[in-house]
Amino acid sequence: MSQAEVSPAEVSGSKVSKAGVPEAEVPEAEVPEAGALRAAAQPPSTTAAAPASAAVGAGPRRQTAAGFAALFRNELWLTFRRTRTIALLGILAMLPVLIGVVVKLQTDDASHGGGPAFIAQVSQNGLFLVFTALALALPIFLPMTVGVVAGDSIAGEAATGTLRYLLVAPAGRTRLLAAKFTAGLVFCLAATMAVVLAAVATGAALFPLGDVTLLSGDTIGLGEAVVRAVLVAGVVALSLSGLVAIGLFISTLTGSGIAAMATTVGLVITVQILDTFPQLHTIQPYLFTHQWLSFGDLLRQPMHWDNVLQNLGLQALYVAVFGSAAWARFTSRDVTA
């Protein structure tokens, strides 16, 4: 049979190539259509359905605790491997060293009645440097550090263009947001412990260790004082949880990491300024910075928990409100355009 006698119905894609027609002459637009027609023509029992069923089955397996743990570890690695984060932790660790050196140099003046009242307490026991360093770091240094990390969590990913690729993976926006918030809480603890450990090392090197005189005038042993130091560090870290939620929400509003960080840090400074005006005493108990220094009540005998619990409850309220706002914004935000 000659080539001219071949009917059009007998000409398929494979027969065309075998008949000697160059493959370059086949229009590219027809290839997907042909593939789609072939897929539609195949019965459900064919092997082409196997990848689809495997993909469907892979979804639920990723929605497990192990999947969230893997995402959480990735966020921790992303947070702590940055040079900026290491530099911020280094600055926090240098603060107790600077305070300890200054107190050491001013010990003679303090013994004659000069200098701040806390200098005598630090010079008598190096462990008290932990409480002094936290009291000085919490109003400014710790919130600025946490504000930088929290504000950059989502906006930094969007600025570098990696956020859209994260959302292509089957991680889910809710789980991604939860992983970033949890990583922010871990950073709060790491930042607090950087101050505490540096204060313990500096206090032990420069001053004697022994019984600690509390703010109430009572004296406790070194072991009980260490327990209280750990408890104070935990309260300080949890006191920053509301700021993490606020920074996360601000980070979902913009695609600029610098703008989100500056806004978060500026908000902290503004709120603390508002907390100093007596005319605003009506709203001050609702400011997330109002009870930050309530950990001082744990340095009394017996410990007073009222202000501490109010502080933790207020932080939980801020986490609920701004965490929900961040979730509503992030889950409805178009980040792939």
Side-chain angles (χ1 to χ4, degrees):
M1 181 182 296
S2 63
Q3 186 176 9
E5 296 176 357
V6 178
S7 61
E10 298 175 351
V11 180
S12 61
S14 59
K15 291 182 178 181
V16 169
S17 60
K18 292 180 181 180
V21 179
E23 294 182 359
E25 295 179 3
V26 180
E28 295 181 359
E30 295 179 3
V31 175
E33 296 178 359
L37 290 175
R38 286 195 298 269
Q42 290 177 349
S45 60
T46 56
T47 57
S53 61
V56 173
R61 287 196 297 268
R62 292 181 180 271
Q63 303 295 330
T64 60
F68 177 80
L71 185 62
F72 172 63
R73 288 194 300 268
N74 180 70
E75 290 300 325
L76 285 182
W77 169 251
L78 181 66
T79 300
F80 288 97
R81 74 180 179 88
R82 290 174 175 170
T83 306
R84 178 185 61 204
T85 303
I86 298 175
L88 291 174
L89 293 177
I91 293 174
L92 289 176
M94 288 300 299
L95 180 63
V97 177
L98 179 61
I99 296 174
V101 172
V102 171
V103 171
K104 183 67 175 178
L105 294 177
Q106 296 295 326
T107 300
D108 294 337
D109 294 337
S111 62
H112 291 89
F118 67 85
I119 290 184
Q121 293 173 303
V122 174
S123 60
Q124 293 173 4
N125 195 305
L127 189 61
F128 204 87
L129 183 60
V130 174
F131 312 122
T132 303
L134 288 176
L136 294 179
L138 188 55
I140 300 176
F141 297 98
L142 276 174
M144 289 182 63
T145 304
V146 173
V148 168
V149 174
D152 189 57
S153 55
I154 298 294
E157 299 275 11
T160 56
T162 58
L163 183 59
R164 66 185 65 185
Y165 297 105
L166 285 175
L167 298 181
V168 169
R173 299 195 180 197
T174 301
R175 291 202 304 157
L176 179 61
L177 195 67
K180 287 187 174 293
F181 175 74
T182 309
L185 294 182
V186 173
F187 179 79
C188 292
L189 181 60
T192 304
M193 292 308 299
V195 177
V196 171
L197 294 178
V200 171
T202 304
L206 298 180
F207 308 104
L209 295 177
D211 295 341
V212 176
T213 301
L214 301 176
L215 298 180
S216 59
D218 300 287
T219 302
I220 60 175
L222 181 61
E224 184 179 354
V226 171
V227 173
R228 295 206 184 196
V230 174
L231 187 60
V232 166
V235 171
V236 170
L238 290 176
S239 298
L240 298 169
S241 58
L243 178 59
V244 174
I246 294 174
L248 197 62
F249 169 66
I250 295 175
S251 187
T252 61
L253 300 178
T254 178
S256 173
I258 297 178
M261 289 185 290
T263 303
T264 305
V265 174
L267 179 63
V268 173
I269 297 175
T270 302
V271 171
Q272 294 201 69
I273 292 176
L274 295 177
D275 202 17
T276 61
F277 289 101
Q279 295 82 358
L280 301 177
H281 66 278
T282 304
I283 65 171
Q284 285 174 351
Y286 302 100
L287 301 178
F288 65 92
T289 63
H290 185 67
Q291 296 283 2
W292 270 359
L293 296 179
S294 60
F295 70 86
D297 290 342
L298 301 180
L299 302 179
R300 304 181 186 276
Q301 189 70 16
M303 291 184 290
H304 299 167
W305 287 95
D306 293 342
N307 291 333
V308 175
L309 294 178
Q310 289 180 6
N311 174 38
L312 298 181
L314 185 63
Q315 302 306 320
L317 178 62
Y318 271 87
V319 169
V321 172
F322 285 93
S324 300
W327 176 83
R329 168 61 179 170
F330 188 56
T331 53
S332 61
R333 176 181 172 184
D334 183 13
V335 297
T336 59

